[in-house]
Amino acid sequence: MLRTLGARRMRQPLLRGATAAHTNIYIGVRAQLRRLQTVASSDAHEALKDEDISLRDIFDLPTKTTMGSRWFHTAGQPTGLLMESRFVSPKTFRSAGEQAVAEAEALLQKVLTAQSFSEKRNVVKCLDQLSDALCRVMDVAELVRQAHPDSHWQEAADEVYAFMFEYMNGLNTHVGLYRKLVEIMDDAQISATFSAVEHEVALSFRRDFERSGIHLTKSDHEQFVALSSDIQELSREFFRRQSVPRASSTVKMPFDQLRTLPSQVAMGILQSSRTSKGKDGTTVIEMPVDDYTAHYVLRDCSEEKVREAVYRRWQHGDEQAVGALEALLERRLALSHTVGFESFAHMTLDDKMARSPSHVVEFLKALAKQGQPRWSAIADSLHAAKAAHTKADPATLVYPWDREYYVGKQMMDRGALPSLSQYFSLGRVVMGLSRVFKSLYGVELRAAMPRPGEIWHPEVRKLEVVDENSQLLGIIYCDVFSRSSKAHVGAAHFTARCARRIDDDVAVDGLAPEYSSQSVVERNGQKFQLPVVVLICDFPVPSEGSPPLLSWSNVETIFHEMGHAMHSMLGQNGFHNVAGTRCPVDFALSLFASHYKTGAPLPPELVRQHAEQRRRYTALDLHAQLFMSALDQKYHASTLDSTGNSLEPGWSTFVLAQLHDDPMLSSGKNSSLFGYVRDTRWQSRFTHLIGYGASYYAYLFDRVLAGQIWDRVFCGDYPYATAQASEESNPLSREAGERFKNEVLSWGGGRNPWKSLASVLDNGKMSAKDIEVVARGDKHAMGIVGSWRLPDL
């Protein structure tokens, strides 16, 4: 019932359907680049409003400057983390966890003892309220573990999360809860009074119960809980091993090869390396290999032997991480067998849009069919480039350590392009996001002042989301810079509090926390929790005297994560369990892309050149995403051996090696695009296996869906066939934004996602037959999606 409500709402969740989990990037980012020439000119030279200036400056001005400004309260009593009075200190945070469990227990008893019609009618509300009580603490505990710099807070969060997770697992297999839910759902008189969203909430609880093996014996229930706890602990161990320094991770490189690297990288290597004399008397650098070093060496070093050595050392992997991963996969399999599923993938996909692993595989094959001719052509060009560079046989192989080097050489041969970063200061990007949101959905971002104790680090910024009437819709906290006290989780989205309706809550004798005026909003005479979302990124800390300047991939990341946040703001359907969190939003460079010093607009021709350069190699990116999606399916659709016993240690590496030779991923000449390199364990670094087990395909799935929505809702049918886009296909159309908001975003998880997809696409630009098939969401619907154009391929 509750096992997925905590972690699944964090760090880019899929929830129960994959309608729009990642469409914020793909609806617009690359498509908009291709039509930027036809969009109105940049407004960079217009006078900015006070709100725009404030929004820009809280991100672009140095932290020391903003700390001394009107944007920070520096004195007064702590209000509590995230404006939550229960989160003032590690001690009160522990108390909040205990209070949440007490509240859940009280609500549990109300469900179990419900007898009258009104009491039974409140069962779904009680369950949703119970879920919210636990997740409002557990989700914040996960945030604190990842981002809080104070070890005392981290220890408290670890303790709170551990005991609450165990309690939640017990609820997931509570037979009494399940039987009461089934009783009220099967009561026609009661269920007839449910709204469509309430019915979806009840159905989601019932499905989660049944996936938790509610029909099992007591001993099997205990096994389920034990396996769940093991999985959680192994997940943490796998993540922990990512940041453990690896012994002997050094490679010898001739000193003169430093000249091929950027000067800043070369200096860093020199400072962290030992030097010695080689047998031929030349100077040798013994350099440590980490992600940073490997990236530049593989891209820029002209000596293949050095690139090979770096690649092998870098991808050697951590044996203990592999061990934790294999144990995790084996326990996930055992868990799925315990509740009657063939595999973990079958269990996970049962209520996703894909429904089954075989449907996912068919979808991946359809995409591979689109991409194979293109990545084969790229492979041929890389072979030719290597042959020309090394004077070798044209049939010489291109290895994984050659990919970035020869792609880079081909790009340089076409001429180096200037960086776009000076047009993408973080403050201007956030300002542009606000303008896009306002144009599409009638909501905007507003800089806000955190109070003492409300944020966990001075670099955290607070934003309010307001509608056209200046009504507050929610709060977004942005913690976007890399620091040593922060877990290296990349980009993540944490829903600290959902927009659940609270004025009709079931009373629990004073156990429920009191809501302050700052944490409640009123709409149409009803009261709702103010949604709170935290965005975590790992952007480089800006240099002294410069605002934070983002790379293009950083811009994509902030749009992606802010899209998740906006869905939490707009998906306010009254229930915690189906609020938010799938997140599309659209992209318009002309609203913010201007030089941070001069204000000059980003030249459209420069954008076009960068877009064309990126597009040349998108087929390689597709190949990589297909590989990861297929590996995820093989790991989670596996039954290990025929007896159900574990394979020998290292079996995950064997599966990895085999996948390199899969015909779906070949170059079209019955050969692997980039072959497996012996004794490498790339899977030890594939952290998405934890949060997206059996669901990694959704990155591609949602990208295809988003491309279709972009084409048919925001821009019309494939407008890029012509040089000019018509005015009717303006991608910032409020009409298109409202359609998308009403048919997809506002529902959260309170509607079958296939129906949402069919409804948003049903605007006369698809056949009625195809719309009908999409709405059914069966195998044929997956086939239709697989046949749709993949953006930028």
Side-chain angles (χ1 to χ4, degrees), residues 280-346:
D280 58 358
T282 59
T283 303
V284 174
I285 303 291
E286 189 172 341
M287 63 178 181
V289 176
D290 54 23
D291 291 353
Y292 179 79
T293 305
H295 168 75
Y296 286 103
V297 171
L298 292 174
R299 189 191 71 175
D300 298 326
C301 182
S302 61
E303 178 59 58
E304 181 175 357
K305 289 183 179 179
V306 174
R307 294 199 310 272
E308 178 182 355
V310 167
Y311 180 87
R312 288 182 180 277
R313 174 55 58 191
W314 181 45
Q315 295 293 348
H316 183 265
D318 180 84
E319 290 188 16
Q320 289 181 262
V322 172
L325 175 63
E326 291 179 351
L328 168 71
L329 294 171
E330 291 162 12
R331 281 162 178 76
R332 280 179 171 175
L333 177 63
L335 185 77
S336 62
H337 286 172
T338 300
V339 294
F341 285 93
E342 181 180 338
S343 72
F344 187 81
H346 286 86

Side-chain angles (χ1 to χ4, degrees), residues 386-617:
K386 183 175 182 180
H389 179 68
T390 61
K391 311 300 182 185
D393 188 316
T396 186
L397 292 177
V398 174
Y399 296 100
W401 52 81
D402 294 323
R403 170 182 156 156
E404 298 305 319
Y405 180 72
Y406 286 106
V407 166
K409 281 186 66 64
Q410 289 184 347
M411 287 184 173
M412 291 299 291
D413 290 344
R414 293 185 174 95
L417 295 176
S419 170
L420 299 181
S421 293
Q422 292 187 326
Y423 295 93
F424 294 144
S425 76
L426 177 57
R428 288 178 181 273
V429 171
V430 174
M431 183 181 73
L433 272 163
S434 180
R435 292 176 172 186
V436 171
F437 293 148
K438 186 173 184 178
S439 179
L440 287 174
Y441 309 126
V443 302
E444 58 186 321
L445 306 176
R446 186 169 63 192
M449 183 188 301
R451 297 183 175 275
E454 185 178 343
I455 59 176
W456 52 98
H457 193 277
E459 290 174 352
V460 177
R461 297 294 183 261
K462 178 183 177 182
L463 302 175
E464 294 177 342
V465 182
V466 297
D467 64 15
E468 291 170 306
N469 300 315
S470 294
Q471 183 178 23
L472 184 63
L473 297 179
I475 301 292
I476 300 172
Y477 295 91
C478 301
D479 185 357
V480 298
F481 297 117
S482 176
R483 61 175 180 272
S484 59
S485 62
K486 194 170 167 183
H488 298 289
V489 296
H493 158 265
F494 295 81
T495 303
R497 187 165 64 224
C498 290
R500 186 180 63 83
R501 185 181 174 187
I502 61 172
D503 57 301
D504 62 346
D505 274 357
V506 177
V508 287
D509 302 325
L511 287 173
E514 295 182 5
Y515 292 97
S516 68
S517 59
Q518 292 180 315
S519 61
V520 174
V521 291
E522 188 168 333
R523 295 197 308 273
N524 302 321
Q526 299 175 344
K527 292 183 178 180
F528 291 78
Q529 290 180 158
L530 187 71
V532 174
V533 168
V534 179
L535 302 187
I536 301 289
C537 298
D538 204 24
F539 298 156
V541 177
S543 58
E544 190 69 30
S546 170
L549 300 178
L550 305 183
S551 67
W552 183 255
S553 64
N554 292 154
V555 174
E556 289 183 329
T557 296
I558 194 70
F559 267 79
H560 182 103
E561 298 305 330
M562 193 64 79
H564 282 291
M566 192 53 56
H567 201 169
S568 292
M569 303 299 128
L570 299 177
Q572 301 189 14
N573 53 41
F575 289 88
H576 158 83
N577 197 43
V578 292
T581 310
R582 295 182 300 273
C583 49
V585 71
D586 301 275
F587 196 97
L589 289 173
S590 63
L591 293 181
F592 66 92
S594 56
H595 198 284
Y596 79 99
K597 287 183 178 179
T598 67
L602 174 57
E605 178 60 19
L606 182 57
V607 177
R608 187 195 64 76
Q609 292 171 1
H610 273 268
E612 284 298 316
Q613 187 181 73
R614 287 167 59 90
R615 190 169 183 266
R616 286 191 191 100
Y617 299 98

